[in-house]
Amino acid sequence: MSLPGSPFFTYRNGVLCVEEIPLSVLAKRFGTPLYVYSHAAISAAFREFQQTLAAHPAGANSLVCYAVKANSSLAILNFFAREGAGFDVVSGGELARVLAAGGQAQKIVFSGVGKTEAEMESALIAGILCFNLESAEELRRLNAVAERLGKIAPVSLRVNPDVDPKTHPYIATGLKTAKFGVPMQDVLPLYRLARGLPHLAVIGIDAHIGSQILETAPFDEALARLLALCAELAADGIPVRHIDLGGGFGIPYRANENAPTIREYLTPLLDRLAKEQAKGCAPRFLIVEPGRSLVGNAGALLTRVEYRKPGAEHDFLIVDAAMNDLMRPALYEAWHEIIPAREETTAEREASAKTRLCDVVGPVCESGDFLGKGRRLAAESGDLLAVLSAGAYGMAMSSHYNTRARAAEVLVSGSAAHLVRRREKVEDLWAEEEIPLF
Ligand SMILES: *Cc1c(COP(=O)(O)O)cnc(C)c1O
């Protein structure tokens, strides 16, 4: 069986390890619930992007901007910064985080539909690479903020290319019904508006059509539409220097699931871009904004079974991690493989095949609080489980719901483990609160 995340998460002699370290050792040392990330897995994913781009004529001049919202751990941001990555941020908070982690402002693109004046101001002062803008009001606001600061803001328009990424509706962003991007028919007028605003400099065009897209065709379709717009813009005297294809490259979440590799995603895009560049009107600089595909399968959430409770249909495995730690199952009915830290023996597997299926659930008071349903697991109270593929949109979406302190995070490299985020103390959860005296 091929696990998502392997070979970095794999059984060795019946013991589930991250790189060289048994997960049980980490659980004992740092407690549960615990997010564990493999440095080698993140590094391998990033290299695949870099190498695919560097090996292609259309990718030689390119920048991988890691989408910070997937996992904004300072340790991970710092790794990407040292590898020369850029960053895609969607808030002033993420911008500050990237700078605090050692990221270079000149490699940051700022996306998102609702940038505030304060966010624009801090990004202009930092000197970011590009603002990805989405509306006439936003263009005018940025122009005014830049004027006040005596600066020129580099901008791109985020186009909504109206392609169907065939992913979960909550993470499809490139359909014309989505709140994201500029509708195709408004793109040219908006670029003309941008050209006329003296404190904006048009430098690029971008799109981001959704997340966890498992086919290559929607990306290619989006690129074709962006390239057609580039030609129109050039003819209108508004040439763009870069094209930013966003992120959204899908990863396998199920055992034995096949997903395109990074090379398979990028190669048709690079081929198309190269062809257009040869004709002379396509931008020479390529940006991609991957999030999930860099970190998703590099992380697991470790959790311990508190109780096994019989239910009407399935047994419930009640574990110490919950929807506040990992929201994806509750939010999108997302599937994560959940496997025991100690590999089941053949005899145990045969025995568990006869026992009832179980729903792996947390202690939070919501029926939507589950990590997996209908699973075949022999686990009992005290056993350690790993929820795989939890490196992206796991910790980043966590909350304090039910006054639950958030998990700790550990980054592993070989046989070394570093606690990169301490477990919260419950007192910290109300540290900003006050009781009024009336
Ligand atoms: C979320 C997001 C990404 C990253 O998406 P993934 O599916 O994690 O690759 C990239 N660009 C923008 C603008 C985003 O909002």
Side-chain angles (χ1 to χ4, degrees), residues 82-340:
R82 281 185 284 122
E83 291 288 314
F87 298 91
D88 169 53
V89 303
V90 293
S91 72
E94 285 190 352
L95 171 64
R97 229 177 212 288
V98 168
L99 298 175
Q104 284 173 268
Q106 317 87 270
K107 291 184 177 175
I108 294 175
V109 297
F110 195 156
S111 304
V113 291
K115 299 173 202 78
T116 65
E117 280 191 23
E119 287 174 326
M120 289 174 170
E121 199 174 305
S122 53
L124 279 167
I125 289 168
I128 66 166
L129 172 61
C130 191
F131 290 86
N132 293 344
L133 302 182
E134 306 206 6
S135 68
E137 288 193 8
E138 196 186 16
L139 264 67
R140 292 204 178 88
R141 175 184 278 183
L142 181 59
N143 183 64
V145 175
E147 179 172 14
R148 181 153 47 74
L149 295 175
K151 297 200 181 277
I152 305 289
V155 305
S156 156
L157 293 189
R158 174 168 172 181
V159 174
N160 182 334
D162 190 24
V163 298
D164 184 356
K166 302 186 181 75
T167 183
H168 190 282
Y170 286 9
I171 48 178
T173 54
L175 278 169
K176 60 174 177 246
T177 49
K179 74 173 175 183
F180 297 100
V182 178
M184 288 296 279
Q185 70 274 12
D186 298 342
V187 172
L188 198 53
L190 224 52
Y191 267 104
R192 288 180 178 146
L193 171 66
R195 172 176 54 187
L197 293 170
H199 287 268
L200 302 187
V202 171
I203 65 164
I205 188 165
D206 70 284
H208 169 71
I209 58 173
S211 202
Q212 185 55 15
I213 298 165
L214 286 167
E215 293 173 40
T216 57
F219 291 105
D220 197 38
E221 214 172 299
L223 175 61
R225 290 184 189 189
L226 289 193
L227 286 169
L229 285 169
C230 288
E232 267 187 73
L233 288 168
D236 210 52
I238 316 175
V240 296
R241 282 209 300 267
H242 80 246
I243 189 160
D244 175 348
L245 288 173
F249 312 104
I251 60 168
Y253 276 95
R254 290 174 190 255
N256 302 321
E257 181 181 356
N258 278 318
T261 62
I262 298 310
R263 186 173 301 276
E264 286 165 345
Y265 279 118
L266 293 183
T267 304
L269 305 177
L270 291 164
D271 287 346
R272 181 184 287 279
L273 187 58
K275 228 164 58 197
E276 290 301 308
Q277 285 175 339
K279 287 193 224 155
C281 47
R284 298 274 154 187
F285 186 54
L286 173 68
I287 296 176
V288 286
E289 305 169 350
R292 187 192 312 272
S293 51
L294 286 173
V295 293
N297 272 326
L301 174 62
L302 300 193
T303 182
R304 211 172 275 286
V305 178
E306 297 286 349
Y307 303 104
R308 186 169 189 125
K309 174 175 141 171
E313 227 176 274
H314 294 163
D315 278 358
F316 292 107
L317 269 185
I318 301 167
V319 300
D320 65 0
M323 65 186 287
N324 75 295
D325 299 299
L326 180 64
M327 198 175 169
R328 299 188 66 257
L331 190 60
Y332 319 119
E333 296 187 324
W335 175 283
H336 287 265
E337 290 295 346
I338 304 176
I339 59 174

Side-chain angles (χ1 to χ4, degrees), residues 1 3-4 11 16 253-255 300-305 317 319 321 326 329 334-341 344 358-362 370-379 384-389:
M1 183 177 68
L3 293 174
Y11 288 110
L16 186 59
Y253 276 95
R254 290 174 190 255
L301 174 62
L302 300 193
T303 182
R304 211 172 275 286
V305 178
L317 269 185
V319 300
L326 180 64
W335 175 283
H336 287 265
E337 290 295 346
I338 304 176
I339 59 174
E344 291 177 353
C358 51
D359 292 353
V360 182
V361 304
F370 66 92
L371 299 175
K373 287 186 171 171
R375 305 303 175 92
R376 184 79 63 195
L377 280 164
L384 185 66
L385 300 175
V387 184
L388 300 181
S389 316

